[in-house]
Amino acid sequence: MTALWTFLSRTQGRNRLTWVDWVSYGYLAFGFLLIFLPVCWIVLNSLKTPSQLEQQDISLLPGEYRQVARATVYGPDGRSIFIIENLPDWVLNWRTMNEEDRADQDVEGLLNGFRGDSHYALRSALGQVPLKARSLISERRLPQWLLRYPALSASAKAEFDAAGAIAGLAEEEQRLLAEFLGLDPYQANKLISQVLVSAIHPETGERTAFAVPRFDPSKPTLPARLVDNSSDRVFKIETATAHAERRIQPAFSNFIEPLAGRARAVTVNFTRCFTNSLLVTVIATIITLAINSMAAFALSKYRFRGQTFFFVFILATLMVPPTITLVGVFKAIHATGLSGSIWGVIIPGAATPAGVFLLRQYMLTIPDELLEAARMDAASEWKIYWRIMLPLALPALAALGILSIVWRWNDLILPMVAIATTKDAYTIQLCLLEFRGEHLSREHFRLAMTVFSLIPTTLVFVFLQKYITTGIANTGLK
């Protein structure tokens, strides 16, 4: 820390800061924010709850406002909209919970504490309507086609008299089955979470509790409903007078559930993906270092016909975009039987022209006299390569190894070509694509696992950065 403070507090040698110092430190601070602010934003967003992300909450810290539920219930008297407060957090987060967590909740006990429209809204929101309806159909020995009725087309439904089949039941039983079957005037009841705010009532001037869909301080007014349900009107409250209670609550479950294999509606094992990426990165890096170092040794220390042509040809491949060779790589992987295996990701990118160039330029700086002296001592070419060239080229090998780790860990195109059809062989980048959802938001899992995937490469740069600078800086300068 002392050395860091000494570095950051340096001036031009005077007792006070000059304009040059201010510009230098300002540029340093700007560069720091430019690089690390996006990373910090991703890390903090990975700890936000699904509801906070769905509401596009732009606040920096992960947390949630105190919430209430807005229920919409359909019945013989039409649509009814009202607020339910003091519900447990698991009720509001029911859609994003996995099956194990749902099984731990006392759903039946909660429903028994509510009556009327509140009971109907909670029963639908917690997924109890299909369960109770199937049980009732079996208990009352009703026609079995009622179980298939909700999935039938409109023309197929016209062939059955669903209303007549349930006409002899009690009123509550008829309502339950009508909701399950989707008979008029019943529809699927809804329950969504809203933010609880305290604001000045636009008519009475008193501070009152309201429920708003989203608390956005940038808007002058917010649409709100009274929490006490004394009126079904939608009021416009002034944002300046509104106050919402916010609590900092990091959602560590975003990390725990995918790693434990308990993420809802996710069909891949993220821990296995992490292991596959680790195997691909380590094996591919070892093979890359071996092949590239051998090629660089031959191009830098041997003289043979066509040496310049081969070197120029290798460098020319750097100018060919990877997308042009993608079809050829795809056909080669399938022709060799490597499709669906991690070897299909490892082998095609084993030799890299950039690595050959980097190692060759470094090996050119190693004196040829060392090799001649070894040959005079009857050393074989393999021993010269293994015992002399590799130890002396270690800085360049370390730099190439680190760059290879980053390349292979972050590679997406080659895994998509080689193993996209085999989920057991997915790498970490392919697994991140599985968190996309058309009907169910899983951005909280995707952000969390993106941050988790950044940890290995970050550790590589933090602890091995000196080898990168040393290996590249000494290339051709030793």
Side-chain angles (χ1 to χ4, degrees), residues 255 270 274 409-410 428-429 432 446-458:
F255 291 86
F270 197 86
F274 186 86
W409 187 267
N410 294 325
I428 203 168
Q429 304 303 329
L432 292 176
R446 193 176 184 181
L447 284 170
M449 292 301 98
T450 299
V451 172
F452 188 79
S453 68
L454 294 176
I455 294 177
T457 53
T458 302

Side-chain angles (χ1 to χ4, degrees), residues 281-466:
T281 301
V282 172
I283 297 174
T285 299
I286 294 174
I287 296 176
T288 298
L289 292 178
I291 295 177
N292 288 358
S293 61
M294 291 179 183
F297 176 52
L299 292 172
S300 62
K301 295 305 177 183
Y302 290 111
R303 300 293 179 265
F304 54 91
R305 184 175 298 178
Q307 179 185 26
T308 303
F309 169 78
F310 283 113
F311 180 62
V312 173
F313 182 79
I314 290 173
L315 291 183
T317 59
L318 288 172
M319 294 180 287
V320 180
T323 52
I324 293 180
T325 62
L326 195 59
V327 176
V329 171
F330 174 77
K331 290 185 176 181
I333 291 174
H334 277 264
T336 54
L338 296 177
S339 178
S341 169
I342 62 173
W343 291 104
V345 183
I346 295 172
I347 294 177
T352 58
V356 173
F357 174 75
L358 177 67
L359 294 178
R360 175 187 179 274
Q361 294 304 106
Y362 193 93
M363 289 181 179
L364 286 174
T365 64
I366 299 176
D368 294 340
E369 289 79 4
L370 292 175
L371 280 67
E372 296 299 332
R375 292 189 180 101
M376 293 180 63
D377 291 336
S380 64
E381 295 301 312
W382 171 257
K383 184 175 288 187
I384 292 173
Y385 163 76
W386 185 257
R387 301 294 295 274
I388 296 176
M389 293 301 297
L390 289 187
L392 292 177
L394 188 58
L397 286 171
L400 177 59
I402 295 168
L403 294 176
S404 177
I405 289 174
V406 176
W407 293 337
R408 290 311 190 108
W409 187 267
N410 294 325
D411 189 14
L412 175 62
I413 301 299
L414 194 54
M416 289 185 68
V417 171
I419 57 177
T421 57
T422 308
K423 289 192 175 183
D424 288 340
Y426 270 19
T427 60
I428 203 168
Q429 304 303 329
L430 283 178
C431 282
L432 292 176
L433 298 180
E434 291 296 311
F435 292 109
R436 296 177 301 176
E438 296 181 3
H439 307 290
L440 182 64
S441 175
R442 291 170 289 180
E443 286 300 317
H444 54 301
F445 290 144
R446 193 176 184 181
L447 284 170
M449 292 301 98
T450 299
V451 172
F452 188 79
S453 68
L454 294 176
I455 294 177
T457 53
T458 302
L459 293 177
V460 166
F461 273 104
V462 168
F463 292 104
L464 302 178
Q465 58 179 328
K466 62 178 180 180

